[in-house]
Amino acid sequence: DAKTTQPTSMDCAEGRAANLPCNHSTISGNEYVYWYRQIHSQGPQYIIHGLKNNETNEMASLIITEDRKSSTLILPHATLRDTAVYYCIVRVSYLNEKLTFGTGTRLTIIP
Amino acid sequence: GAVVSQHPSWVICKSGTSVKIECRSLDFQATTMFWYRQFPKQSLMLMATSNEGSKATYEQGVEKDKFLINHASLTLSTLTVTSAHPEDSSFYICSARDRSGGVDTQYFGPGTRLTVL
């Protein structure tokens, strides 16, 4: 599995857009980028995933660079409830590939 | 998104006893489920992959005789911690793989906090 690198922690003001970067320079052509978040003492929550095109859903937007070596998760209007650890994971989608969690980014939304 | 439940949400047991944790996919069928363990201030560590109707595949270092996994139906997987000891105290989280409708995503349960006295 390609490895990912994320900042350890970030702060964002409430109401602002939170932009969480992820580097995955060794990603393979058939590997997808997945984002999950874990709020304290809960199971991880799926946010979004993509292969090469930018993706958007009701929770967030995912921007993947053209060379696919990095991506950014965007929470358009951060709220206090978005405070969590955010994990960027790459995996091959069509195999029984496990999700390997790194240390993620601890995002704190500041009132 | 799809919903995965776990039961119980927390359990306290005496050392030497066995504890069973259930993981259910509520609105989709999951041929593959996964069991993770998370210690305080650490990331999730995969313990095993569970495929419906077959034996689970355990990660290196995970004792298969201690952590019994059964995946008897497309919506239910169970993890039994046998002869639990205090060092088994942890947050156990399951996930289920949803491959319906062209999507391939894992959804996680809320977790089970196990405390062994």
Side-chain angles (χ1 to χ4, degrees):
Chain A
D1 292 344
K3 296 192 175 181
T4 63
T5 303
Q6 299 177 252
T8 303
S9 63
M10 292 180 63
D11 292 339
C12 178
E14 187 179 16
R16 297 280 193 169
N19 296 277
L20 292 93
C22 179
N23 286 319
H24 31 80
S25 58
T26 60
I27 192 170
S28 301
N30 59 354
E31 286 184 311
Y32 286 69
V33 180
Y34 285 79
W35 283 85
Y36 286 80
R37 71 180 183 185
Q38 186 177 26
I39 296 170
H40 183 62
S41 295
Q42 298 182 23
Q45 178 188 22
Y46 166 77
I47 301 173
I48 199 167
H49 77 281
L51 181 62
K52 54 183 179 181
N53 296 322
N54 296 338
E55 302 287 345
T56 296
N57 62 21
E58 64 279 4
M59 288 184 68
S61 294
L62 174 60
I63 309 298
I64 302 174
T65 58
E66 193 170 342
D67 63 8
R68 303 210 322 124
K69 292 185 177 182
S70 65
S71 61
T72 301
L73 178 74
I74 301 173
L75 309 178
H77 304 287
T79 71
L80 298 179
R81 288 181 294 181
D82 292 322
T83 293
V85 178
Y86 287 75
Y87 296 98
C88 168
I89 303 168
V90 295
R91 68 178 275 259
V92 179
S93 176
Y94 56 85
L95 298 176
N96 272 341
E97 282 274 325
K98 56 192 178 184
L99 288 175
T100 300
F101 285 80
T103 53
T105 295
R106 182 172 298 278
L107 176 67
T108 302
I109 306 301
I110 302 170
Chain B
V3 180
V4 176
S5 70
Q6 276 184 247
H7 178 80
S9 56
W10 59 271
V11 57
I12 301 173
C13 70
K14 293 182 178 180
S15 185
T17 61
S18 295
V19 174
K20 179 185 283 187
I21 303 170
E22 293 186 349
C23 176
R24 295 181 185 272
S25 55
L26 298 186
D27 49 3
F28 66 98
Q29 293 184 329
T31 56
T32 305
M33 291 185 172
F34 303 85
W35 287 95
Y36 292 80
R37 180 167 54 180
Q38 185 175 34
F39 292 106
K41 298 187 178 181
Q42 295 186 20
S43 191
L44 284 78
M45 294 297 295
L46 180 67
M47 299 175 66
T49 301
S50 168
N51 291 300
E52 186 265 338
S54 64
K55 290 184 179 180
T57 302
Y58 291 82
E59 294 299 300
Q60 192 172 7
V62 178
E63 300 174 59
K64 61 180 181 180
D65 294 331
K66 181 170 184 61
F67 299 99
L68 302 180
I69 292 172
N70 183 278
H71 191 163
S73 79
L74 289 172
T75 60
L76 173 65
S77 176
T78 61
L79 168 68
T80 301
V81 183
T82 63
S83 186
H85 291 286
E87 58 265 29
D88 298 323
S89 297
S90 188
F91 192 48
Y92 291 86
I93 309 167
C94 73
S95 71
R97 188 178 182 195
D98 182 3
R99 302 184 67 180
S100 61
V103 176
D104 185 354
T105 303
Q106 285 186 36
Y107 296 97
F108 286 79
T112 297
R113 188 161 301 282
L114 170 64
T115 301
V116 184
L117 303 177

